Amino acid sequence: VPPTARALDLPALVKQARAGRPRSLARLISLVEDAHPALREVMAALTATAAPAGGGTTVIGLTGPPGVGKSTTTSALITAFRARGQTVGVLAVDPSSPFSGGALLGDRIRMHEHALDEGVFIRSMATRGHLGGLTRSTPQAVRVLAAAGYDLVLIETVGVGQSEIQIAGLADTTVVLLAPGMGDGIQAVKAGILEVGDVFVVNKADRDGAQATARDLRHMIGLAHRLEPGGWRPPVLPTVASTGSGIAALVEALDRHRTWLTGDRLADRRGRRAGAEIEALVMAELRARVGRLRPGPRLEDLAAEVVGGRMDPYTAADILLRAVSAAGNEAGGECVSVPNDNREQ
Amino acid sequence: VPPTARALDLPALVKQARAGRPRSLARLISLVEDAHPALREVMAALTATAAPAGGGTTVIGLTGPPGVGKSTTTSALITAFRARGQTVGVLAVDPSSPFSGGALLGDRIRMHEHALDEGVFIRSMATRGHLGGLTRSTPQAVRVLAAAGYDLVLIETVGVGQSEIQIAGLADTTVVLLAPGMGDGIQAVKAGILEVGDVFVVNKADRDGAQATARDLRHMIGLAHRLEPGGWRPPVLPTVASTGSGIAALVEALDRHRTWLTGDRLADRRGRRAGAEIEALVMAELRARVGRLRPGPRLEDLAAEVVGGRMDPYTAADILLRAVSAAGNEAGGECVSVPNDNREQ
């Protein structure tokens, strides 16, 4: 028995996490981050004891460019939710490298005002390496917090890349934050962010240019969203998160969206989230198989052929694909093993 | 015979593209963007007639946050390379949604000063949907421009997400641009950008805070890069691209890096680029198989089971994985078909 397996009393850990014990929650989320082999068992245990479908946890995603005030806004939202007695779990997702992951979380310190509040659980999730890892680990971490019964889970992601947007888009309600004077306002809302946002916030609204930013944003939302009858029209709200100004209106908008999001709409969003999670597990397994192909036609050898001009990339891909399929058939079991996404790519 | 297949005279198109005819180049890159079924044949033809290994085209990646002056810097670099008689192909990669892809390329206009120069080819590549598409299409587009004999290919990517960095990292030399006063300088250099940069530029260096930004950057590079004997120490260069100030020093740094990057180092970088391209083709095919699984245990059905708490995600992933493998075996041919990544999630 390997030492990690001996040290883990999974049933006890899951039970304590479901009771909301912060250390057990943190431990489970570490297993998620590390793509630990025990995850399979953890997720099965959480499912077996899960709340009924459409359960109580509302998942809110926040995304926006660096420096826009996401952490301050998250902190203000925590205060507002706590004031009405709701419990809050926060996942601060950082699509960064192994190096910068640990070192650059200083801005999270702003959230430490909630550190002694038992109704709040805050966790930074820095991925290590392959981005597919976050597509897998974020919904898994949400699953852990939902099992612990938090009323709300906030997923805060840094950046406005396709990937960060995908992660934020896994929420029930996605909040996109912008601020005036962050370079070109139009550039800041590129990259699919208009389609994914349910609620838009122009933070630092006491600064010059806030109204122009909000106006541009409303115009572009009008172009991007074709409003259907009964559809949701994403509001654009000014806030000054550092003073709490506008936060009440933001909370009200989140409530309105959550009320709008019922029945099929809710099932659709949550289905997409689960679908992304399942697909991430499958793709991670397939990617791991690609990585394990040695001493056969390994990726590096094929790449060298392509670089040398002796083979075209499609022929190389065919060979690799065949080897991946063969490896799967030989393995026989055909089960998803350790996700292993952190160590790939 | 479908109309697109009839309209395509591939051998002629490839021949004209190799002769540097801009319309044929544009046509081939459109095939790349659209993940056209003929790509397999195009890539085989380009490989069969390719320049010898280690061929003449140097690939330079530029990345950095929105508003930092990437297009202006690219334009200034084009001018400098043209002044010494080199030909330049530019791929402006925009990891954006179908909606914003076309509408937001206004900043490319700055590069139109080179529009009448026959030694310059500029192309915006807006992906549609899945990000894996850019991991595939960018190296393929580079392959097209290299076959046409451009001395340099510049890949400009918007944003500093993991994905944009991966794309920029596919170059021989990667330039990371920052500017003073873009929110928190430390936040801007998150997300693995320090590891991927060979040359760092603080553009808009005539603005307040430029020296502080450069100093912070040097400090962080010092932490991120452990310098080995004969290793490359990434310089941090001030520029004002709009006036051309500092561009000569940037070109000199690019030359120095290219000189340093010989033998195994060059083969290693190009091998990684080809490897990423091959893997993207394989993963796109596998992802397409996941999408084609109907009416079997489709992803949506499994997701609904998981949302309903009736199945855990790993069990769902096992079922999907088995179905993917079975689909591959039935297909028999086991060849990578149309990449199809643009239409997948």
Side-chain angles (χ1 to χ4, degrees):
Chain A
V1 182
T4 47
R6 238 191 301 127
L8 269 178
D9 180 356
L10 272 184
L13 193 57
V14 168
K15 191 178 168 194
Q16 285 162 3
R18 290 188 58 84
R21 290 222 7 220
R23 288 191 55 176
S24 304
L25 283 173
R27 188 78 194 276
L28 283 188
I29 295 180
S30 290
L31 298 184
V32 165
E33 270 193 316
D34 295 344
H36 193 279
L39 272 189
R40 172 178 273 276
E41 198 180 333
V42 169
M43 291 300 147
L46 290 179
T47 300
T49 55
T57 301
T58 295
V59 182
I60 297 173
L62 286 100
T63 193
V68 80
K70 284 183 296 298
S71 295
T72 315
T73 304
T74 300
S75 188
L77 283 175
I78 295 171
T79 304
F81 291 131
R82 291 300 293 144
R84 54 186 198 187
Q86 293 176 297
T87 53
V88 188
V90 179
L91 298 170
V93 174
D94 215 333
S96 55
S97 71
F99 169 74
S100 46
L104 292 167
L105 295 168
D107 57 330
R108 306 287 174 235
I109 289 166
R110 273 168 243 167
M111 284 196 245
H112 278 202
E113 58 182 287
H114 304 287
L116 296 176
D117 183 345
E118 288 194 353
V120 179
F121 178 87
I122 298 175
R123 171 69 179 230
S124 286
M125 290 186 58
T127 191
R128 307 162 176 93
H130 191 258
L131 197 83
L134 281 179
T135 321
R136 172 194 60 80
S137 61
T138 307
Q140 286 190 332
V142 169
R143 197 172 289 284
V144 169
L145 294 179
Y150 284 96
D151 295 314
L152 292 130
V153 172
L154 304 184
I155 309 171
E156 182 200 323
T157 57
V158 172
V160 290
Q162 189 91 12
S163 41
E164 293 84 352
I165 288 168
Q166 276 176 15
I167 292 159
L170 296 176
D172 296 328
T173 302
T174 302
V175 181
V176 175
L177 283 93
L178 296 171
M182 304 215 30
D184 187 339
I186 299 218
Q187 292 217 27
V189 294
K190 274 189 183 178
I193 214 166
L194 285 170
E195 291 87 337
V196 88
D198 300 302
V199 175
F200 290 83
V201 168
V202 178
N203 192 31
K204 306 187 182 180
D206 51 347
R207 294 201 183 166
D208 285 349
Q211 290 192 340
T213 301
R215 192 180 52 234
D216 290 353
L217 202 46
R218 282 197 189 93
H219 175 67
M220 300 186 69
I221 292 168
L223 293 175
H225 286 257
R226 214 164 309 144
L227 194 66
E228 285 150 29
W232 174 258
R233 181 190 296 275
V236 177
L237 305 171
T239 60
V240 185
S242 57
T243 68
S245 168
I247 294 298
L250 173 56
V251 169
E252 192 267 333
L254 294 173
D255 288 345
R256 268 196 301 125
H257 186 260
R258 185 62 186 79
T259 305
W260 174 83
L261 193 75
T262 47
D264 283 354
R265 289 173 188 141
L266 186 64
D268 179 56
R269 293 223 173 186
R270 295 191 167 176
R272 263 188 284 157
R273 186 157 78 223
E277 184 182 359
I278 297 166
E279 204 187 9
L281 289 173
V282 171
M283 295 314 270
E285 170 65 23
L286 293 169
R287 197 176 291 114
R289 284 187 190 171
V290 171
R292 281 196 300 264
L293 287 175
R294 52 181 71 97
R298 292 172 58 197
L299 184 58
E300 290 77 10
D301 301 340
L302 293 168
E305 291 298 296
V306 170
V307 171
R310 295 179 296 276
M311 191 184 286
D312 73 278
Y314 282 90
T315 304
D318 291 344
I319 295 172
L320 195 62
L321 182 65
R322 263 181 239 124
V324 171
S325 297
N329 295 336
E330 280 165 32
E334 277 294 356
C335 276
V336 174
S337 53
V338 195
N340 206 20
D341 39 27
N342 289 339
R343 282 163 289 273
E344 296 297 318
Q345 170 71 318
Chain B
V1 182
T4 47
R6 240 190 300 129
L8 269 179
D9 180 358
L10 272 184
L13 194 59
V14 167
K15 192 177 168 196
Q16 285 161 3
R18 290 188 59 83
R21 290 226 1 226
R23 287 191 56 176
S24 304
L25 282 173
R27 187 79 194 277
L28 283 188
I29 295 181
S30 290
L31 298 184
V32 166
E33 268 193 318
D34 295 344
H36 193 280
L39 272 188
R40 171 178 275 279
E41 199 180 330
V42 169
M43 291 300 147
L46 290 178
T47 301
T49 56
T57 302
T58 295
V59 183
I60 298 174
L62 287 100
T63 194
V68 81
K70 284 183 296 298
S71 295
T72 315
T73 304
T74 301
S75 188
L77 283 175
I78 296 170
T79 304
F81 291 132
R82 292 299 294 144
R84 54 187 198 188
Q86 293 176 296
T87 55
V88 187
V90 179
L91 297 171
V93 174
D94 215 334
S96 55
S97 71
F99 169 75
S100 45
L104 292 167
L105 296 167
D107 56 329
R108 307 287 174 238
I109 289 168
R110 272 168 243 168
M111 284 196 243
H112 280 201
E113 59 183 287
H114 304 288
L116 295 175
D117 183 344
E118 288 194 354
V120 179
F121 178 87
I122 298 176
R123 170 69 178 231
S124 284
M125 291 186 56
T127 191
R128 306 160 177 94
H130 191 258
L131 197 84
L134 281 178
T135 321
R136 171 195 60 80
S137 61
T138 307
Q140 286 190 332
V142 168
R143 197 171 289 283
V144 169
L145 294 178
Y150 285 95
D151 295 316
L152 292 130
V153 172
L154 304 184
I155 308 171
E156 181 199 324
T157 57
V158 171
V160 290
Q162 190 89 12
S163 40
E164 295 83 354
I165 289 169
Q166 277 177 15
I167 291 158
L170 296 175
D172 296 329
T173 302
T174 301
V175 181
V176 175
L177 283 93
L178 295 171
M182 305 217 28
D184 188 339
I186 300 218
Q187 292 218 27
V189 294
K190 274 188 181 180
I193 214 165
L194 286 169
E195 291 86 337
V196 87
D198 301 303
V199 175
F200 290 82
V201 168
V202 177
N203 193 31
K204 307 187 182 182
D206 51 349
R207 294 200 182 168
D208 285 350
Q211 290 193 340
T213 301
R215 191 182 53 232
D216 290 353
L217 203 46
R218 281 195 190 95
H219 176 66
M220 298 185 69
I221 292 167
L223 293 175
H225 286 255
R226 212 163 309 143
L227 194 67
E228 284 148 29
W232 173 257
R233 181 189 296 273
V236 177
L237 305 171
T239 60
V240 185
S242 56
T243 68
S245 167
I247 295 297
L250 172 56
V251 169
E252 192 267 333
L254 294 173
D255 288 345
R256 268 197 299 126
H257 185 259
R258 184 65 186 80
T259 306
W260 175 82
L261 194 74
T262 48
D264 284 353
R265 288 174 188 142
L266 185 63
D268 179 56
R269 293 222 174 187
R270 294 189 169 180
R272 262 188 287 158
R273 187 157 77 224
E277 184 182 359
I278 298 165
E279 204 187 8
L281 288 173
V282 171
M283 294 316 266
E285 169 65 21
L286 292 169
R287 200 176 289 115
R289 284 186 189 171
V290 171
R292 279 196 301 266
L293 286 176
R294 53 181 71 99
R298 293 172 58 198
L299 183 58
E300 291 76 9
D301 302 340
L302 292 168
E305 292 299 296
V306 170
V307 171
R310 294 179 296 275
M311 190 184 284
D312 74 278
Y314 281 91
T315 303
D318 290 345
I319 295 172
L320 195 64
L321 182 65
R322 264 180 237 125
V324 172
S325 297
N329 294 337
E330 280 164 31
E334 276 294 357
C335 276
V336 174
S337 54
V338 194
N340 205 19
D341 40 26
N342 289 339
R343 281 162 293 271
E344 298 296 319
Q345 154 57 12

